[in-house]
Structures are given as structure tokens and as C-alpha cells.
Amino acid sequence: TLGTRLNAASTRGIVRAKTGSLVDVSSLSGITLTKDGRALGFSIMVHSHNGELAPHKDTLDAAATYLTGCGCR
């Protein structure tokens, strides 16, 4: 869940998303408001081969943070 993630002032309450995870797979899909006020839908999936449950949470969070901060025109 996002209860303990994306808690920075720039993303808290702005990124609305659902997590998903399996062994070797992590995903984050949702909607955010960009810095210019546009609603932006996203879906990001990451696959690895290291046998971990829900790998790459930090990478997914960084991608959502980047999208929130972009102008995206």
C-alpha cells in the first residue's frame, strides 16, 4: 500500500495510486496532478529476476514523484 510511501510534501495527497506485487514484479498505477495542474494517469511495471517480493518500490516511487513534478506538455 502507499500508506508509508510517497509521503513527501510534493506527493502526499497528490498521487493517488494502487500498488501491485508478486515475486520479481512490482507495479504502481494511478493518477497524479502535474506541477502545471494537469491530471496524468500512469501505470508502471518493473520485472526483475532476483526472487524478491515486490522489488523496486523505490524506483516506482521515484517515477511517480518525477511525473508529479513535470510540466508534461
Side-chain angles (χ1 to χ4, degrees):
T1 69
L2 292 180
T4 60
R5 295 168 56 183
L6 296 168
N7 285 323
S10 61
T11 55
R12 187 180 323 115
I14 298 170
V15 176
R16 301 288 186 175
K18 176 69 178 110
T19 61
S21 60
L22 296 169
V23 173
D24 292 337
V25 179
S26 293
S27 63
L28 185 65
S29 297
I31 192 166
T32 189
L33 291 177
T34 63
K35 71 177 181 181
D36 60 0
R38 292 174 181 236
L40 179 67
F42 63 89
S43 185
I44 307 162
M45 299 191 317
V46 180
H47 181 264
S48 65
H49 298 283
N50 59 8
E52 291 181 34
L53 177 63
H56 307 299
K57 287 181 185 178
D58 293 339
T59 301
L60 295 171
D61 293 355
T65 300
Y66 176 81
L67 291 173
T68 301
C70 78
C72 299
R73 288 191 176 250

Short mmCIF file of all heavy atoms in Angstrom, two decimals:
data_model
loop_
_atom_site.label_atom_id
_atom_site.label_comp_id
_atom_site.label_asym_id
_atom_site.label_seq_id
_atom_site.Cartn_x
_atom_site.Cartn_y
_atom_site.Cartn_z
N THR A 1 0.84 -1.19 0.00
CA THR A 1 0.00 0.00 0.00
C THR A 1 0.88 1.24 0.00
O THR A 1 2.07 1.18 0.25
CB THR A 1 -0.93 0.03 1.23
OG1 THR A 1 -0.14 0.24 2.39
CG2 THR A 1 -1.74 -1.24 1.35
N LEU A 2 0.26 2.37 -0.21
CA LEU A 2 1.00 3.63 -0.22
C LEU A 2 0.97 4.33 1.14
O LEU A 2 1.43 5.45 1.26
CB LEU A 2 0.42 4.57 -1.28
CG LEU A 2 0.64 4.16 -2.72
CD1 LEU A 2 0.03 5.18 -3.66
CD2 LEU A 2 2.10 3.98 -3.03
N GLY A 3 0.44 3.67 2.15
CA GLY A 3 0.33 4.28 3.46
C GLY A 3 1.63 4.79 4.03
O GLY A 3 1.67 5.79 4.74
N THR A 4 2.72 4.13 3.71
CA THR A 4 4.04 4.55 4.20
C THR A 4 4.95 5.00 3.07
O THR A 4 6.15 5.17 3.28
CB THR A 4 4.73 3.40 4.97
OG1 THR A 4 4.88 2.28 4.08
CG2 THR A 4 3.91 2.99 6.17
N ARG A 5 4.40 5.21 1.91
CA ARG A 5 5.19 5.60 0.74
C ARG A 5 4.67 6.92 0.18
O ARG A 5 3.55 7.32 0.41
CB ARG A 5 5.10 4.52 -0.35
CG ARG A 5 5.72 3.21 0.10
CD ARG A 5 5.40 2.06 -0.82
NE ARG A 5 5.77 2.30 -2.21
CZ ARG A 5 5.50 1.43 -3.19
NH1 ARG A 5 4.87 0.30 -2.91
NH2 ARG A 5 5.85 1.70 -4.43
N LEU A 6 5.51 7.59 -0.58
CA LEU A 6 5.15 8.85 -1.25
C LEU A 6 4.59 9.86 -0.25
O LEU A 6 3.58 10.51 -0.50
CB LEU A 6 4.17 8.60 -2.39
CG LEU A 6 4.73 7.75 -3.54
CD1 LEU A 6 3.61 7.30 -4.46
CD2 LEU A 6 5.79 8.51 -4.31
N ASN A 7 5.27 10.01 0.88
CA ASN A 7 4.82 10.92 1.93
C ASN A 7 5.49 12.28 1.91
O ASN A 7 5.27 13.08 2.81
CB ASN A 7 5.04 10.27 3.31
CG ASN A 7 4.01 9.20 3.58
OD1 ASN A 7 2.86 9.34 3.19
ND2 ASN A 7 4.43 8.12 4.22
N ALA A 8 6.29 12.56 0.90
CA ALA A 8 6.91 13.88 0.80
C ALA A 8 5.83 14.93 0.52
O ALA A 8 4.76 14.61 -0.02
CB ALA A 8 7.95 13.90 -0.33
N ALA A 9 6.10 16.15 0.88
CA ALA A 9 5.12 17.23 0.68
C ALA A 9 4.73 17.35 -0.79
O ALA A 9 3.60 17.72 -1.11
CB ALA A 9 5.68 18.55 1.19
N SER A 10 5.64 17.03 -1.70
CA SER A 10 5.37 17.17 -3.13
C SER A 10 4.45 16.08 -3.68
O SER A 10 3.91 16.23 -4.78
CB SER A 10 6.68 17.17 -3.92
OG SER A 10 7.36 15.94 -3.73
N THR A 11 4.25 14.99 -2.94
CA THR A 11 3.42 13.88 -3.43
C THR A 11 2.27 13.50 -2.50
O THR A 11 1.30 12.91 -2.96
CB THR A 11 4.28 12.63 -3.67
OG1 THR A 11 4.98 12.30 -2.47
CG2 THR A 11 5.25 12.83 -4.81
N ARG A 12 2.35 13.83 -1.24
CA ARG A 12 1.32 13.43 -0.27
C ARG A 12 -0.03 14.01 -0.66
O ARG A 12 -0.20 15.21 -0.79
CB ARG A 12 1.69 13.88 1.13
CG ARG A 12 0.75 13.35 2.21
CD ARG A 12 1.11 13.80 3.62
NE ARG A 12 2.54 13.88 3.86
CZ ARG A 12 3.18 15.02 4.13
NH1 ARG A 12 2.54 16.16 4.19
NH2 ARG A 12 4.48 15.02 4.34
N GLY A 13 -1.01 13.15 -0.87
CA GLY A 13 -2.35 13.58 -1.24
C GLY A 13 -2.50 13.98 -2.70
O GLY A 13 -3.59 14.29 -3.15
N ILE A 14 -1.41 13.98 -3.44
CA ILE A 14 -1.45 14.37 -4.86
C ILE A 14 -1.40 13.13 -5.74
O ILE A 14 -2.10 13.05 -6.75
CB ILE A 14 -0.28 15.32 -5.19
CG1 ILE A 14 -0.42 16.59 -4.37
CG2 ILE A 14 -0.23 15.63 -6.68
CD1 ILE A 14 0.78 17.51 -4.41
N VAL A 15 -0.59 12.16 -5.37
CA VAL A 15 -0.52 10.89 -6.09
C VAL A 15 -1.56 9.95 -5.48
O VAL A 15 -1.55 9.68 -4.29
CB VAL A 15 0.88 10.26 -5.98
CG1 VAL A 15 0.90 8.89 -6.65
CG2 VAL A 15 1.95 11.16 -6.57
N ARG A 16 -2.46 9.50 -6.31
CA ARG A 16 -3.47 8.50 -5.90
C ARG A 16 -3.19 7.27 -6.74
O ARG A 16 -3.30 7.32 -7.97
CB ARG A 16 -4.89 8.99 -6.18
CG ARG A 16 -5.23 10.27 -5.49
CD ARG A 16 -5.40 10.03 -4.03
NE ARG A 16 -5.87 11.25 -3.37
CZ ARG A 16 -6.20 11.30 -2.12
NH1 ARG A 16 -6.12 10.23 -1.38
NH2 ARG A 16 -6.60 12.43 -1.59
N ALA A 17 -2.79 6.17 -6.09
CA ALA A 17 -2.37 5.02 -6.86
C ALA A 17 -2.61 3.72 -6.11
O ALA A 17 -2.87 3.71 -4.91
CB ALA A 17 -0.88 5.15 -7.20
N LYS A 18 -2.50 2.63 -6.85
CA LYS A 18 -2.63 1.28 -6.31
C LYS A 18 -1.35 0.53 -6.61
O LYS A 18 -0.83 0.60 -7.71
CB LYS A 18 -3.83 0.58 -6.97
CG LYS A 18 -4.03 -0.85 -6.57
CD LYS A 18 -4.47 -0.95 -5.12
CE LYS A 18 -4.72 -2.40 -4.72
NZ LYS A 18 -3.75 -2.94 -3.80
N THR A 19 -0.86 -0.15 -5.62
CA THR A 19 0.34 -0.96 -5.79
C THR A 19 -0.05 -2.38 -6.18
O THR A 19 -1.18 -2.82 -5.96
CB THR A 19 1.15 -1.02 -4.49
OG1 THR A 19 0.35 -1.63 -3.48
CG2 THR A 19 1.59 0.35 -4.06
N GLY A 20 0.90 -3.09 -6.73
CA GLY A 20 0.73 -4.50 -7.03
C GLY A 20 2.09 -5.16 -6.92
O GLY A 20 3.10 -4.56 -7.26
N SER A 21 2.11 -6.38 -6.41
CA SER A 21 3.40 -7.05 -6.29
C SER A 21 3.25 -8.57 -6.31
O SER A 21 2.25 -9.12 -5.85
CB SER A 21 4.11 -6.63 -5.01
OG SER A 21 3.33 -6.96 -3.89
N LEU A 22 4.24 -9.19 -6.90
CA LEU A 22 4.43 -10.63 -6.91
C LEU A 22 5.92 -10.84 -6.77
O LEU A 22 6.70 -9.89 -6.79
CB LEU A 22 3.95 -11.22 -8.24
CG LEU A 22 2.47 -11.09 -8.57
CD1 LEU A 22 2.22 -11.47 -10.02
CD2 LEU A 22 1.65 -11.99 -7.65
N VAL A 23 6.33 -12.08 -6.68
CA VAL A 23 7.77 -12.35 -6.69
C VAL A 23 8.31 -11.86 -8.03
O VAL A 23 7.76 -12.17 -9.09
CB VAL A 23 8.05 -13.85 -6.50
CG1 VAL A 23 9.52 -14.16 -6.69
CG2 VAL A 23 7.59 -14.30 -5.12
N ASP A 24 9.34 -11.05 -8.00
CA ASP A 24 10.02 -10.50 -9.17
C ASP A 24 9.27 -9.39 -9.90
O ASP A 24 9.75 -8.88 -10.90
CB ASP A 24 10.38 -11.58 -10.20
CG ASP A 24 11.43 -12.55 -9.72
OD1 ASP A 24 12.20 -12.19 -8.81
OD2 ASP A 24 11.51 -13.67 -10.26
N VAL A 25 8.09 -8.99 -9.45
CA VAL A 25 7.32 -7.97 -10.16
C VAL A 25 6.76 -6.95 -9.17
O VAL A 25 6.24 -7.30 -8.13
CB VAL A 25 6.13 -8.60 -10.94
CG1 VAL A 25 5.32 -7.53 -11.64
CG2 VAL A 25 6.63 -9.64 -11.92
N SER A 26 6.86 -5.68 -9.53
CA SER A 26 6.23 -4.60 -8.77
C SER A 26 5.52 -3.69 -9.76
O SER A 26 5.98 -3.49 -10.88
CB SER A 26 7.26 -3.77 -8.01
OG SER A 26 7.87 -4.50 -6.99
N SER A 27 4.40 -3.11 -9.33
CA SER A 27 3.70 -2.17 -10.21
C SER A 27 3.07 -1.06 -9.38
O SER A 27 2.84 -1.20 -8.18
CB SER A 27 2.62 -2.90 -11.01
OG SER A 27 1.64 -3.43 -10.16
N LEU A 28 2.84 0.04 -10.07
CA LEU A 28 2.18 1.19 -9.46
C LEU A 28 1.35 1.85 -10.57
O LEU A 28 1.89 2.23 -11.61
CB LEU A 28 3.22 2.18 -8.91
CG LEU A 28 2.69 3.38 -8.13
CD1 LEU A 28 2.00 2.92 -6.85
CD2 LEU A 28 3.83 4.34 -7.79
N SER A 29 0.06 1.94 -10.36
CA SER A 29 -0.83 2.55 -11.34
C SER A 29 -1.74 3.54 -10.63
O SER A 29 -2.22 3.27 -9.53
CB SER A 29 -1.71 1.47 -12.00
OG SER A 29 -0.92 0.55 -12.71
N GLY A 30 -1.95 4.67 -11.28
CA GLY A 30 -2.81 5.65 -10.65
C GLY A 30 -2.89 6.94 -11.43
O GLY A 30 -2.73 6.98 -12.63
N ILE A 31 -3.13 8.01 -10.68
CA ILE A 31 -3.28 9.34 -11.25
C ILE A 31 -2.57 10.34 -10.34
O ILE A 31 -2.49 10.14 -9.13
CB ILE A 31 -4.77 9.70 -11.42
CG1 ILE A 31 -4.95 10.94 -12.26
CG2 ILE A 31 -5.48 9.80 -10.09
CD1 ILE A 31 -6.37 11.15 -12.75
N THR A 32 -2.03 11.37 -10.93
CA THR A 32 -1.38 12.43 -10.17
C THR A 32 -1.68 13.77 -10.85
O THR A 32 -2.11 13.80 -12.00
CB THR A 32 0.14 12.20 -10.06
OG1 THR A 32 0.69 13.15 -9.15
CG2 THR A 32 0.84 12.31 -11.41
N LEU A 33 -1.47 14.82 -10.13
CA LEU A 33 -1.56 16.16 -10.71
C LEU A 33 -0.15 16.66 -10.96
O LEU A 33 0.69 16.65 -10.06
CB LEU A 33 -2.28 17.13 -9.78
CG LEU A 33 -3.76 16.89 -9.59
CD1 LEU A 33 -4.33 17.88 -8.58
CD2 LEU A 33 -4.50 17.01 -10.91
N THR A 34 0.13 17.10 -12.18
CA THR A 34 1.44 17.62 -12.51
C THR A 34 1.59 19.03 -11.94
O THR A 34 0.61 19.64 -11.50
CB THR A 34 1.67 17.65 -14.02
OG1 THR A 34 0.72 18.54 -14.62
CG2 THR A 34 1.53 16.26 -14.63
N LYS A 35 2.80 19.56 -12.00
CA LYS A 35 3.02 20.90 -11.42
C LYS A 35 2.25 21.99 -12.15
O LYS A 35 2.01 23.05 -11.58
CB LYS A 35 4.51 21.24 -11.37
CG LYS A 35 5.15 21.50 -12.71
CD LYS A 35 6.61 21.88 -12.53
CE LYS A 35 7.27 22.19 -13.86
NZ LYS A 35 8.66 22.53 -13.70
N ASP A 36 1.82 21.71 -13.39
CA ASP A 36 1.01 22.70 -14.10
C ASP A 36 -0.49 22.41 -13.96
O ASP A 36 -1.32 22.98 -14.66
CB ASP A 36 1.43 22.83 -15.56
CG ASP A 36 1.30 21.54 -16.34
OD1 ASP A 36 0.88 20.52 -15.77
OD2 ASP A 36 1.62 21.54 -17.55
N GLY A 37 -0.86 21.49 -13.03
CA GLY A 37 -2.25 21.25 -12.71
C GLY A 37 -2.98 20.25 -13.58
O GLY A 37 -4.19 20.10 -13.45
N ARG A 38 -2.28 19.57 -14.45
CA ARG A 38 -2.93 18.59 -15.32
C ARG A 38 -3.02 17.24 -14.63
O ARG A 38 -2.09 16.81 -13.95
CB ARG A 38 -2.15 18.41 -16.62
CG ARG A 38 -2.17 19.62 -17.50
CD ARG A 38 -1.26 19.41 -18.68
NE ARG A 38 -1.26 20.57 -19.52
CZ ARG A 38 -1.56 20.55 -20.80
NH1 ARG A 38 -1.86 19.42 -21.40
NH2 ARG A 38 -1.54 21.66 -21.50
N ALA A 39 -4.13 16.55 -14.82
CA ALA A 39 -4.27 15.19 -14.33
C ALA A 39 -3.52 14.26 -15.28
O ALA A 39 -3.67 14.37 -16.50
CB ALA A 39 -5.74 14.79 -14.25
N LEU A 40 -2.73 13.38 -14.72
CA LEU A 40 -1.92 12.47 -15.53
C LEU A 40 -2.08 11.05 -14.99
O LEU A 40 -1.79 10.79 -13.82
CB LEU A 40 -0.45 12.89 -15.46
CG LEU A 40 0.55 12.05 -16.23
CD1 LEU A 40 0.30 12.18 -17.73
CD2 LEU A 40 1.97 12.49 -15.90
N GLY A 41 -2.60 10.16 -15.82
CA GLY A 41 -2.71 8.75 -15.46
C GLY A 41 -1.41 8.03 -15.80
O GLY A 41 -0.75 8.36 -16.78
N PHE A 42 -1.06 7.05 -14.98
CA PHE A 42 0.17 6.30 -15.24
C PHE A 42 0.03 4.86 -14.79
O PHE A 42 -0.79 4.53 -13.93
CB PHE A 42 1.37 6.95 -14.54
CG PHE A 42 1.26 6.96 -13.03
CD1 PHE A 42 1.73 5.91 -12.28
CD2 PHE A 42 0.67 8.04 -12.39
CE1 PHE A 42 1.62 5.92 -10.89
CE2 PHE A 42 0.55 8.06 -11.00
CZ PHE A 42 1.03 6.99 -10.26
N SER A 43 0.81 4.00 -15.39
CA SER A 43 0.91 2.61 -14.98
C SER A 43 2.34 2.17 -15.26
O SER A 43 2.80 2.22 -16.40
CB SER A 43 -0.08 1.73 -15.74
OG SER A 43 -0.03 0.41 -15.24
N ILE A 44 3.03 1.76 -14.21
CA ILE A 44 4.44 1.40 -14.32
C ILE A 44 4.61 -0.02 -13.76
O ILE A 44 4.14 -0.30 -12.65
CB ILE A 44 5.33 2.37 -13.51
CG1 ILE A 44 5.04 3.81 -13.91
CG2 ILE A 44 6.80 2.03 -13.68
CD1 ILE A 44 5.52 4.83 -12.91
N MET A 45 5.26 -0.88 -14.52
CA MET A 45 5.54 -2.24 -14.05
C MET A 45 7.03 -2.52 -14.21
O MET A 45 7.62 -2.15 -15.23
CB MET A 45 4.71 -3.25 -14.83
CG MET A 45 3.24 -3.03 -14.64
SD MET A 45 2.10 -4.28 -15.23
CE MET A 45 2.67 -4.77 -16.79
N VAL A 46 7.61 -3.15 -13.21
CA VAL A 46 9.03 -3.47 -13.21
C VAL A 46 9.18 -4.96 -12.93
O VAL A 46 8.55 -5.50 -12.02
CB VAL A 46 9.79 -2.66 -12.14
CG1 VAL A 46 11.26 -3.00 -12.16
CG2 VAL A 46 9.57 -1.18 -12.33
N HIS A 47 10.00 -5.62 -13.73
CA HIS A 47 10.26 -7.05 -13.56
C HIS A 47 11.75 -7.25 -13.30
O HIS A 47 12.59 -6.58 -13.90
CB HIS A 47 9.87 -7.80 -14.84
CG HIS A 47 10.07 -9.28 -14.74
ND1 HIS A 47 11.20 -9.89 -15.21
CD2 HIS A 47 9.29 -10.25 -14.22
CE1 HIS A 47 11.11 -11.19 -14.99
NE2 HIS A 47 9.96 -11.43 -14.38
N SER A 48 12.06 -8.15 -12.40
CA SER A 48 13.46 -8.49 -12.14
C SER A 48 13.56 -10.00 -12.01
O SER A 48 12.57 -10.72 -12.08
CB SER A 48 13.94 -7.81 -10.85
OG SER A 48 13.23 -8.33 -9.75
N HIS A 49 14.77 -10.48 -11.80
CA HIS A 49 15.00 -11.92 -11.70
C HIS A 49 15.72 -12.26 -10.40
O HIS A 49 16.49 -13.21 -10.36
CB HIS A 49 15.83 -12.41 -12.88
CG HIS A 49 15.17 -12.21 -14.19
ND1 HIS A 49 14.16 -13.04 -14.65
CD2 HIS A 49 15.33 -11.27 -15.15
CE1 HIS A 49 13.75 -12.62 -15.83
NE2 HIS A 49 14.44 -11.54 -16.16
N ASN A 50 15.47 -11.52 -9.34
CA ASN A 50 16.23 -11.75 -8.11
C ASN A 50 15.44 -12.51 -7.05
O ASN A 50 15.92 -12.72 -5.95
CB ASN A 50 16.74 -10.43 -7.54
CG ASN A 50 15.64 -9.45 -7.23
OD1 ASN A 50 14.47 -9.80 -7.28
ND2 ASN A 50 16.00 -8.23 -6.91
N GLY A 51 14.20 -12.90 -7.32
CA GLY A 51 13.41 -13.69 -6.39
C GLY A 51 12.82 -12.92 -5.23
O GLY A 51 12.30 -13.52 -4.30
N GLU A 52 12.86 -11.62 -5.26
CA GLU A 52 12.31 -10.80 -4.17
C GLU A 52 10.82 -10.55 -4.38
O GLU A 52 10.35 -10.44 -5.50
CB GLU A 52 13.02 -9.45 -4.10
CG GLU A 52 14.45 -9.52 -3.66
CD GLU A 52 15.07 -8.14 -3.58
OE1 GLU A 52 14.35 -7.19 -3.23
OE2 GLU A 52 16.25 -8.03 -3.88
N LEU A 53 10.11 -10.40 -3.27
CA LEU A 53 8.72 -9.98 -3.32
C LEU A 53 8.69 -8.46 -3.40
O LEU A 53 9.33 -7.78 -2.59
CB LEU A 53 7.97 -10.45 -2.08
CG LEU A 53 6.51 -10.01 -1.97
CD1 LEU A 53 5.69 -10.61 -3.12
CD2 LEU A 53 5.92 -10.45 -0.64
N ALA A 54 7.98 -7.95 -4.37
CA ALA A 54 7.81 -6.50 -4.55
C ALA A 54 9.13 -5.75 -4.68
O ALA A 54 9.41 -4.83 -3.92
CB ALA A 54 6.98 -5.92 -3.42
N PRO A 55 9.97 -6.12 -5.65
CA PRO A 55 11.22 -5.38 -5.83
C PRO A 55 10.97 -3.99 -6.41
O PRO A 55 9.90 -3.73 -6.97
CB PRO A 55 11.99 -6.25 -6.84
CG PRO A 55 10.91 -6.90 -7.65
CD PRO A 55 9.79 -7.15 -6.66
N HIS A 56 11.92 -3.13 -6.27
CA HIS A 56 11.92 -1.82 -6.95
C HIS A 56 10.87 -0.83 -6.47
O HIS A 56 10.45 0.04 -7.22
CB HIS A 56 11.82 -1.99 -8.46
CG HIS A 56 12.83 -2.93 -9.03
ND1 HIS A 56 14.18 -2.70 -8.93
CD2 HIS A 56 12.71 -4.11 -9.67
CE1 HIS A 56 14.84 -3.69 -9.50
NE2 HIS A 56 13.97 -4.56 -9.95
N LYS A 57 10.44 -0.91 -5.23
CA LYS A 57 9.48 0.08 -4.72
C LYS A 57 10.05 1.49 -4.83
O LYS A 57 9.33 2.42 -5.19
CB LYS A 57 9.13 -0.21 -3.27
CG LYS A 57 8.25 -1.40 -3.06
CD LYS A 57 7.94 -1.57 -1.58
CE LYS A 57 7.15 -2.82 -1.31
NZ LYS A 57 6.90 -3.00 0.13
N ASP A 58 11.32 1.65 -4.51
CA ASP A 58 11.94 2.98 -4.57
C ASP A 58 11.94 3.52 -5.99
O ASP A 58 11.72 4.72 -6.22
CB ASP A 58 13.36 2.95 -4.02
CG ASP A 58 13.39 2.67 -2.52
OD1 ASP A 58 12.37 2.89 -1.85
OD2 ASP A 58 14.45 2.24 -2.04
N THR A 59 12.16 2.65 -6.97
CA THR A 59 12.15 3.07 -8.38
C THR A 59 10.76 3.53 -8.80
O THR A 59 10.60 4.56 -9.46
CB THR A 59 12.62 1.92 -9.28
OG1 THR A 59 13.95 1.53 -8.89
CG2 THR A 59 12.62 2.31 -10.74
N LEU A 60 9.75 2.78 -8.40
CA LEU A 60 8.37 3.16 -8.73
C LEU A 60 7.98 4.48 -8.07
O LEU A 60 7.36 5.34 -8.70
CB LEU A 60 7.41 2.05 -8.29
CG LEU A 60 7.55 0.72 -9.03
CD1 LEU A 60 6.71 -0.34 -8.35
CD2 LEU A 60 7.17 0.87 -10.48
N ASP A 61 8.36 4.64 -6.81
CA ASP A 61 8.07 5.89 -6.10
C ASP A 61 8.77 7.07 -6.74
O ASP A 61 8.20 8.15 -6.87
CB ASP A 61 8.46 5.78 -4.63
CG ASP A 61 7.59 4.78 -3.87
OD1 ASP A 61 6.63 4.24 -4.46
OD2 ASP A 61 7.89 4.54 -2.68
N ALA A 62 10.01 6.86 -7.17
CA ALA A 62 10.76 7.93 -7.83
C ALA A 62 10.10 8.32 -9.16
O ALA A 62 10.04 9.50 -9.51
CB ALA A 62 12.21 7.50 -8.06
N ALA A 63 9.60 7.34 -9.89
CA ALA A 63 8.92 7.63 -11.15
C ALA A 63 7.64 8.43 -10.92
O ALA A 63 7.37 9.41 -11.64
CB ALA A 63 8.61 6.33 -11.89
N ALA A 64 6.86 8.05 -9.93
CA ALA A 64 5.64 8.80 -9.61
C ALA A 64 5.96 10.21 -9.16
O ALA A 64 5.27 11.17 -9.53
CB ALA A 64 4.83 8.06 -8.54
N THR A 65 7.01 10.36 -8.37
CA THR A 65 7.44 11.69 -7.93
C THR A 65 7.87 12.53 -9.12
O THR A 65 7.52 13.72 -9.20
CB THR A 65 8.58 11.56 -6.90
OG1 THR A 65 8.11 10.81 -5.78
CG2 THR A 65 9.08 12.91 -6.45
N TYR A 66 8.61 11.95 -10.04
CA TYR A 66 9.06 12.67 -11.24
C TYR A 66 7.84 13.14 -12.05
O TYR A 66 7.79 14.30 -12.48
CB TYR A 66 9.96 11.79 -12.09
CG TYR A 66 10.35 12.47 -13.37
CD1 TYR A 66 11.38 13.40 -13.40
CD2 TYR A 66 9.66 12.22 -14.55
CE1 TYR A 66 11.72 14.05 -14.56
CE2 TYR A 66 9.99 12.86 -15.73
CZ TYR A 66 11.02 13.78 -15.73
OH TYR A 66 11.35 14.43 -16.89
N LEU A 67 6.88 12.25 -12.27
CA LEU A 67 5.70 12.62 -13.05
C LEU A 67 4.92 13.76 -12.39
O LEU A 67 4.41 14.64 -13.08
CB LEU A 67 4.79 11.41 -13.25
CG LEU A 67 5.35 10.31 -14.15
CD1 LEU A 67 4.44 9.10 -14.12
CD2 LEU A 67 5.56 10.82 -15.57
N THR A 68 4.84 13.74 -11.07
CA THR A 68 4.14 14.79 -10.34
C THR A 68 4.84 16.14 -10.53
O THR A 68 4.19 17.18 -10.63
CB THR A 68 4.06 14.43 -8.84
OG1 THR A 68 3.37 13.18 -8.72
CG2 THR A 68 3.32 15.49 -8.06
N GLY A 69 6.16 16.13 -10.61
CA GLY A 69 6.92 17.36 -10.73
C GLY A 69 7.12 17.86 -12.14
O GLY A 69 7.67 18.94 -12.34
N CYS A 70 6.67 17.10 -13.14
CA CYS A 70 6.95 17.51 -14.52
C CYS A 70 5.88 18.48 -15.02
O CYS A 70 4.79 18.57 -14.48
CB CYS A 70 7.06 16.30 -15.42
SG CYS A 70 5.49 15.57 -15.90
N GLY A 71 6.22 19.17 -16.10
CA GLY A 71 5.25 20.03 -16.78
C GLY A 71 4.43 19.23 -17.78
O GLY A 71 3.29 19.56 -18.04
N CYS A 72 5.02 18.18 -18.33
CA CYS A 72 4.34 17.19 -19.17
C CYS A 72 3.45 17.78 -20.27
O CYS A 72 2.32 17.37 -20.46
CB CYS A 72 3.54 16.24 -18.30
SG CYS A 72 4.54 15.32 -17.13
N ARG A 73 3.94 18.74 -20.98
CA ARG A 73 3.17 19.30 -22.09
C ARG A 73 3.59 18.69 -23.39
O ARG A 73 4.63 18.31 -23.65
CB ARG A 73 3.36 20.80 -22.15
CG ARG A 73 2.65 21.48 -21.04
CD ARG A 73 2.60 22.97 -21.25
NE ARG A 73 1.82 23.53 -20.21
CZ ARG A 73 0.63 24.06 -20.39
NH1 ARG A 73 0.10 24.11 -21.57
NH2 ARG A 73 -0.04 24.55 -19.38
#
